Amino acid sequence: MTPHVTFRQLQVFVAVARDGTVIAAADHLKLSQSTISQSLSDLERHLGVELFERLGRRLQLNSMGSYLLPRAERLLEGMADFVAVAEDPESQLQGTLNISASATTGTYLLPPLAGYFSNQNPRVDLRLRLRNTGEVITDLLRFDADLGLIEGQCHESRLTSETWCEDQLVIVCSPQHPLARKERLEDADIRAAAWILREPGSGTREVFEAAVLHHVERLQVRMELSQHEAIKQAVKAGLGLGCLSHRSVEGELERGELISLNSGLKLTRIFSLVWHPERYRSPLWQAFKVFLIDNHGNPPKPGRPQ
């Protein structure tokens, strides 16, 4: 016999899994604590399995609960779409999309694209979170994001990815730096220079170190910073060389505040779209992904049809 599982029980299960306590879940769902506790007990009884480890007042998913959580979320999201279409079958795209983006994509590519898409679809709520590449992967594995945008390839076998667009990294320095007028950096220059780099876990850092690996065994890393702007300011101050996306330093290069150095290193990389294959992919998700692929990292020009 099929267990009798209700929509409310699934709501409670997901809320408790995400919020960690009955009190927080009750506040989130605007229900009494007794209703939350009873719904959770009924769900576990109907399924014949326990879903949580009880740690005092906190409830932590056990292995079965972790396995069932994404499936419960898909059911709830599918129901939300079902109701929305039933209420207004000819409606525009609507709903919420949680997006985790690595620093370069989230700072220089995604905002204008998200702004254009939101303007065209006013009933859509795009929620953007700026992370490094490793944190984006974690968000996706934890089902805290519907879609991820990262620098480079995705090496996590539990996720699905697709190439989005290309990017070029450049080595930059202050105009007053001793290497500023050198036509081409030699391996000895790279080895001896002080470097201002992104933190470990950053896609930019990964690509740069992979390119340098066959030329220099060890770099003189003076500073590790998580923000492009902080790196640019440190490089402008003459504290060392930096390696950043060309998109992030276009303005500084045009104004002569930074100098681009020729190194001969292969610093071309890709940006990837990443998602969890078990995460529900709504019509909104599908539409936004197609929009990103079609525009290759550049917002549509005025008047261009979408």
Side-chain angles (χ1 to χ4, degrees):
M1 181 181 295
T2 302
H4 179 64
V5 176
T6 68
F7 181 73
R8 171 58 54 78
Q9 289 167 358
L10 289 179
Q11 279 186 311
V12 167
F13 168 52
V14 170
V16 172
R18 290 304 178 201
D19 297 330
T21 66
V22 168
I23 295 174
D27 183 64
H28 181 93
L29 295 177
K30 307 304 180 188
L31 297 172
S32 68
Q33 294 179 39
S34 60
T35 298
I36 296 292
S37 297
Q38 186 62 53
S39 294
L40 197 56
S41 296
D42 290 344
L43 176 62
E44 290 181 322
R45 187 178 70 256
H46 289 319
L47 295 177
V49 296
E50 291 189 355
L51 303 172
F52 293 90
E53 301 287 346
R54 271 69 176 178
L55 306 173
R57 292 188 176 183
R58 293 200 63 81
L59 297 176
Q60 181 175 310
L61 286 172
N62 60 22
S63 58
M64 177 57 71
S66 297
Y67 180 74
L68 291 178
L69 178 60
R71 290 156 176 80
E73 290 181 320
R74 288 206 305 271
L75 288 170
L76 292 180
E77 289 166 341
M79 179 63 75
D81 279 342
F82 174 82
V83 172
V85 172
E87 291 177 343
D88 189 359
E90 297 182 359
S91 67
Q92 297 176 321
L93 287 173
Q94 59 183 307
T96 299
L97 202 62
N98 294 298
I99 304 165
S100 282
S102 57
T104 303
T105 59
T107 303
Y108 300 100
L109 280 77
L110 190 54
L113 287 163
Y116 183 94
F117 189 86
S118 296
N119 287 337
Q120 299 298 308
N121 301 280
R123 299 174 71 176
V124 165
D125 180 16
L126 298 180
R127 299 182 181 177
L128 314 180
R129 177 184 293 180
L130 192 63
R131 316 281 269 163
N132 70 28
T133 294
E135 291 168 336
V136 172
I137 299 302
T138 298
D139 284 349
L140 292 167
L141 290 174
R142 291 178 176 173
F143 290 84
D144 289 334
D146 299 298
L147 182 65
L149 288 77
I150 66 170
E151 303 154 22
Q153 302 278 2
C154 176
H155 306 299
E156 172 52 65
S157 61
R158 289 171 290 178
L159 300 177
T160 301
S161 66
E162 182 176 333
T163 297
W164 180 26
C165 58
E166 284 193 349
D167 185 47
Q168 183 67 41
L169 296 180
V170 293
I171 295 174
V172 292
C173 71
S174 162
Q176 288 76 43
H177 195 280
L179 295 174
R181 290 174 177 77
K182 190 156 187 177
E183 291 185 5
R184 180 187 175 97
L185 294 180
E186 305 296 337
D187 289 356
D189 298 321
I190 296 173
R191 186 182 303 110
W195 288 90
I196 316 296
L197 298 176
R198 288 289 310 281
E199 79 286 3
S202 155
T204 300
R205 176 75 173 265
E206 180 183 354
V207 170
F208 175 66
E209 290 187 338
V212 170
L213 180 63
H214 300 296
H215 297 264
V216 176
E217 291 184 5
R218 188 172 183 178
L219 293 169
Q220 305 289 336
V221 181
R222 186 172 188 178
M223 300 177 70
E224 294 177 334
L225 301 170
S226 61
Q227 299 296 326
H228 288 84
E229 191 59 35
I231 293 175
K232 288 190 286 186
Q233 293 302 324
V235 172
K236 286 180 188 180
L239 299 180
L241 307 184
C243 183
L244 293 167
S245 167
H246 186 269
R247 298 170 190 260
S248 71
V249 294
E250 283 182 300
E252 288 80 4
L253 293 175
E254 290 175 358
R255 295 188 296 270
E257 297 170 359
L258 291 174
I259 300 295
S260 175
L261 300 174
N262 179 19
S263 66
L265 298 175
K266 295 181 179 179
L267 294 173
T268 300
R269 63 175 175 178
I270 64 166
F271 292 145
S272 299
L273 304 179
V274 191
W275 62 93
H276 200 301
E278 295 184 359
R279 180 80 170 180
Y280 175 70
R281 297 187 288 281
S282 66
L284 170 57
W285 187 99
Q286 301 283 355
F288 189 64
K289 176 177 176 287
V290 169
F291 170 79
L292 292 177
I293 293 293
D294 285 349
N295 288 286
H296 305 290
N298 298 303
K301 295 178 179 179
R304 175 180 163 188
Q306 287 296 304

